[in-house]
Amino acid sequence: MIKFPDGFFFGAATSAYQVEGNNLNSDWWQWERASGLKETCGDACRHYELYREDFALARSLNHNAHRFSVEWSRIEPREGEFNEEEIGHYRRVIASLKENSLEPIVTLHHFTNPLWFARMGGWKKKGNVRFFLRYVEKIASALGASVRYWVTINEPMVYVYYG
């Protein structure tokens, strides 16, 4: 039997775009439709609605942590307009993780951008970083009391080379 050190996190990770479904204000949602893909994200696996059941299943598999991303395009669907209901959703996600004894690990950016941000030039325009910083400040303020571990950008080198 393998003995992991005390405090070792054993779990899984998800991308909001890939599991939640219906991230309508995302640049990837727009790209899927514009490219004519036969298979699109659509409802994905409906984790947005089924997260409680998903986390109970993860706990039954002896997970003790879960890394998930907050979908920026849900939080700020239009430039400067923050959706408090969506922030509340992610608070409930964190509460459900804790109820299942899963350490929440939050990824702030997992490849997707709000459509408005992409249309403004996205990461190609140096000045646009201020929009991401504003979003990060909002999320850190809203969720920070319940989260110990943060990932700023998922796989940053993949994003740099293939984004």
Side-chain angles (χ1 to χ4, degrees), residues 67-119:
R67 182 170 70 93
F68 69 98
S69 61
V70 173
E71 179 62 40
W72 183 9
S73 68
R74 286 189 190 279
I75 300 300
E76 192 178 6
R78 284 165 294 291
E79 195 272 313
E81 295 180 24
F82 291 96
N83 188 322
E84 294 299 328
E85 288 179 31
E86 294 295 354
I87 292 170
H89 168 78
Y90 289 108
R91 282 190 184 109
R92 291 186 296 279
V93 165
I94 292 167
S96 181
L97 286 165
K98 291 185 172 204
E99 288 165 11
N100 283 284
S101 301
L102 299 167
E103 183 72 37
I105 302 170
V106 174
T107 301
L108 293 163
H109 188 273
H110 199 131
F111 299 140
T112 60
N113 297 303
L115 192 52
W116 62 264
F117 180 76
R119 288 178 175 157

Side-chain angles (χ1 to χ4, degrees), residues 39-70:
E39 298 285 334
T40 62
C41 183
D43 289 337
C45 61
R46 297 182 38 233
H47 179 70
Y48 189 87
E49 300 133 34
L50 302 173
Y51 65 90
R52 290 178 187 88
E53 293 89 337
D54 293 341
F55 298 152
L57 178 60
R59 188 65 202 153
S60 77
L61 297 170
N62 295 315
H63 290 194
N64 64 2
H66 182 74
R67 182 170 70 93
F68 69 98
S69 61
V70 173

Side-chain angles (χ1 to χ4, degrees), residues 15 17-18 26-28 69 71 107-113 123 153-160 163:
S15 155
Y17 189 81
Q18 293 170 340
S26 162
D27 59 345
W28 279 32
S69 61
E71 179 62 40
T107 301
L108 293 163
H109 188 273
H110 199 131
F111 299 140
T112 60
N113 297 303
W123 296 105
I153 297 175
N154 179 69
E155 300 179 63
M157 295 310 291
V158 171
Y159 194 77
V160 167

